[in-house]
Amino acid sequence: MGEQHGTVLVVDDDETVRDVVRRYLERAGFDVVLAGDGDEALRQFVARPPALVVLDVMMPGKSGLDVCRELRRTSDVPIVMLTALGEEENRIAGLQLGADDYVTKPFSPRELALRVASVLRRARWTAPEPAQRELSDGDLRLDLAARKATLAGADLALTTREFDLLAFFLTHAGTAFSRTDLLAKVWGWDFGDQSTVTVHVRRLREKIEPDPAAPRRVATVWGVGYRYDPIERS
């Protein structure tokens, strides 16, 4: 059962939280590896590379943000951050460092298990039809089946959510979407913090725009949200 869904590394300094999360994730069919601090998390990550990391922000010593930063130097593994209610700055900082999702404490373990499954489902998604296996715009190319992106022939290091967002933009080029629309269509959230979208758009621009301050591809539509403007127009 666990092998079917993959291994999740759960990092939290609270033993009770770790135990509750472990039981719910195992019940949902995941193998679970636990770590009580940042250093142990990095050791476990190397010893048994997981399919996804659940990472608490506030930990003594090496914080969750520190761990997220170190993981992103070498890995695009999906990361779900655990942040306390009211810790908006930490939540945004986690997204800026490349976290894919977050759950706010106090949280429902069932909700966390559903979020984990959702993120992994998107990370493993492949295009169902050959005609939709690749998206491109000029020197920007996305292989949907391999979940690989390149710009001018060079690999782009995109997180799961960044890849999904870019794929959505390319598929719906020329159409403006609000942040609420994007939360629903890319994240699958009926509610959520719209700054999640803002931060991911900013990170995406830093990776695909020659000048992120004057974007050519991902345009801001004032009063609405964002629109993808193709470099190559048909």
Side-chain angles (χ1 to χ4, degrees):
M1 181 172 61
E3 291 182 356
Q4 178 182 356
H5 295 296
T7 300
V8 177
L9 172 60
V10 176
V11 188
D12 198 299
D13 63 315
D14 187 321
E15 184 177 357
T16 302
V17 171
R18 292 198 305 272
D19 186 56
V20 170
V21 170
R22 176 188 58 78
R23 285 189 284 112
Y24 268 82
L25 289 177
E26 287 180 345
R27 194 177 304 164
F30 297 98
D31 288 331
V32 180
V33 176
L34 302 177
D37 59 54
D39 289 323
E40 184 183 358
L42 294 172
R43 288 194 298 271
Q44 292 280 22
F45 185 87
V46 173
R48 189 179 177 186
L52 182 142
V53 178
V54 174
L55 183 58
D56 185 31
V57 170
M58 298 298 290
M59 295 186 293
K62 196 184 295 289
S63 73
L65 296 179
D66 294 331
V67 174
C68 183
R69 184 183 294 108
E70 292 194 31
L71 290 178
R72 278 292 172 257
R73 288 175 183 157
T74 58
S75 174
D76 61 356
V77 63
I79 298 173
V80 176
M81 304 291 290
L82 300 179
T83 65
L85 192 64
E87 287 180 357
E88 184 178 1
E89 288 185 5
N90 282 332
R91 184 164 65 245
I92 292 176
L95 294 170
Q96 288 174 331
L97 289 172
D100 296 276
D101 209 338
Y102 69 88
V103 174
T104 304
K105 291 182 174 181
F107 60 86
S108 154
R110 181 174 178 274
E111 178 198 359
L112 177 60
L114 290 172
R115 285 285 180 89
V116 166
S118 171
V119 172
L120 278 176
R121 197 162 48 242
R122 288 176 178 274
R124 293 168 173 169
W125 178 82
T126 55
E129 298 177 12
Q132 299 176 332
R133 292 176 74 87
E134 184 174 287
L135 298 170
S136 63
D137 174 34
D139 58 358
L140 176 64
R141 296 185 178 278
L142 267 68
D143 183 332
L144 300 180
R147 291 191 67 87
K148 178 180 178 182
T150 59
L151 182 64
D155 288 346
L156 281 175
L158 300 180
T159 67
T160 298
R161 294 297 192 192
E162 289 165 1
F163 187 96
D164 291 341
L165 181 60
L166 182 55
F168 183 83
F169 275 143
L170 283 168
T171 305
H172 301 87
T175 301
F177 292 94
S178 70
R179 292 170 180 82
T180 302
D181 289 336
L182 292 170
L183 276 176
K185 296 178 183 299
V186 178
W187 276 259
W189 296 359
D190 294 328
F191 61 91
D193 186 348
Q194 293 188 7
S195 64
T196 300
V197 176
T198 305
V199 170
H200 277 78
V201 167
R202 184 186 311 146
R203 285 179 55 84
L204 197 55
R205 283 171 169 165
E206 290 171 354
K207 296 179 179 182
I208 69 172
E209 301 281 7
D211 181 3
R216 296 178 59 199
R217 283 184 157 115
V218 183
T220 297
V221 182
W222 298 108
V224 180
Y226 302 102
R227 181 188 66 240
Y228 188 90
D229 292 332
I231 298 297
E232 287 192 350
R233 299 183 181 277
S234 56

